[in-house]
Amino acid sequence: MIVDSAVYRNGIRVPLDCKAEDLHEIRAGITEPGDFVWVGLREPNEAEIEDVAVAFRLHPLAVEDAVSAHQRPKLEHYEGSLFITLKTLWYVDEHDAVETGEINIFLGPDFIVTVRHGDGANLHDARLRLEERPSVLALGPGAALYAITDLIVDEYEVVAAALEDDVDEIEASVFSERRTSDSARIYTLKREIAEVRRAVLPLRDPMRRFSVGQVPGVPSDASYYFRDVADHLIRVSETIDSLDVLLSAAFEANLAGISVQQNEDMRRISAGVALVVVPTLIAGIYGMNFHYMPELDWVWGYPMALGLMLLSVTGLWVFFKRSGWL
C-alpha cells in the first residue's frame, strides 16, 4: 500500500488537497523548478505498483525487482531514473539472529519512490527527520536518498554493536574455567555475520560513487552527506570482518579446549583404573589356590596382603595427585 506521498518545494512540504493514492494529482503539484515528489510504499501488490510505474514511467525490469524483492544490494541505471536496492537489518538478541528486510528505491530528476519489504528501517521517521532540515531537503530527491541510506546504515551499526556484545560473551565463555559447549553458538553467530556481510559489502561501491559525485541524477552538493554514510558503512564493514576473525579464533580455541578437557578426562580415568588394578593384581596373586605358595601358611599373610594393597593405592594416589592427574 501507499504509506505516504508528498510534494516538496525548497525543502518544504507543499500542502495538497488530495489523497496519498492520487499519484497523478500529486505529480501535477510539481509546478516550479526544483520541486519533487516522494512516494512511500509498503509491500505493494501488482496493481498498486503498476499505478506508480505508469505515473512515474518506471522501467518494467526495475518494477519487477521491486515487487518480487529478495534482491542483493545494487545500483542500476535506467533511462531517466536510478534503481537502488538496500537491505535492512535488525537484531533479535534472544535468538542470536539477524533479521533482514529490503528497500527498493526509484530515483528520478523530480521524484523518489521507495518500496519497503519487511519490518526494518521506519522510513516515516527518516522523512520526518529530513523535513526538519529544509536546507538539506532542498537538494532534491538525492537528499531523500541520503536520509534513507543514513537511517539504514545507522541500523547496521546497531546490529554490529549487538554482535560485538555476543562475540565478547563467546570469548569469555570459551576461555573460562567452566566446561561449556560454545560450538553451536559460534556457528550461529558466524552465519549471522555472513548475513550482515551480504547486506554491507555490495553497498560500499555505490556509497563511494555517491560520495564522490559519480552518479548522474544525484547533485554534487549531496556528496558531502553521502561521505558520512560511506564512512559509517566502512566502519561497519571493518567491524564485521574483525568479528568474523575473532569467532574463527574462538572456534579454534574452543576445539583446543575440548581436546585438553578430553586429555584431562583420560588421565583421570587412567589414574582411577590404576588405583583399582594394582590392588586387584595383589588380590589375584594371593587368591591363587596353589598348595606350594609362599605366605599361605603364614599367620601374618592376610594382614600383609591388605597392607600391601593400601600402601600401593596410597602411593599411586600421591603420585597422581602431584602429577595433576587427579
Side-chain angles (χ1 to χ4, degrees), residues 185-195 244 247-248:
R185 192 181 184 196
I186 290 174
Y187 174 78
T188 298
L189 287 175
K190 284 184 71 69
R191 184 183 60 194
E192 300 311 312
I193 284 176
E195 190 73 44
D244 191 44
L247 279 177
S248 296

Side-chain angles (χ1 to χ4, degrees), residues 278-293:
V278 173
T280 303
L281 175 63
I282 297 172
I285 292 174
Y286 281 92
M288 292 187 292
N289 296 317
F290 293 107
H291 181 71
Y292 297 103
M293 184 174 178

Side-chain angles (χ1 to χ4, degrees), residues 38 92 141 144 154 162 165 171 178 214 281 291 320:
W38 185 349
V92 183
D154 284 348
D165 291 339
E171 288 183 314
R178 297 179 294 106
Q214 292 182 347
L281 175 63
H291 181 71
F320 290 138

Side-chain angles (χ1 to χ4, degrees), residues 86-90 99-103 117 120-121 152 155-156:
L86 306 170
K87 288 291 186 182
T88 58
L89 303 176
W90 64 98
E99 300 293 337
T100 62
E102 184 173 315
I103 294 177
H117 297 270
I152 291 174
E155 292 190 350
Y156 289 173

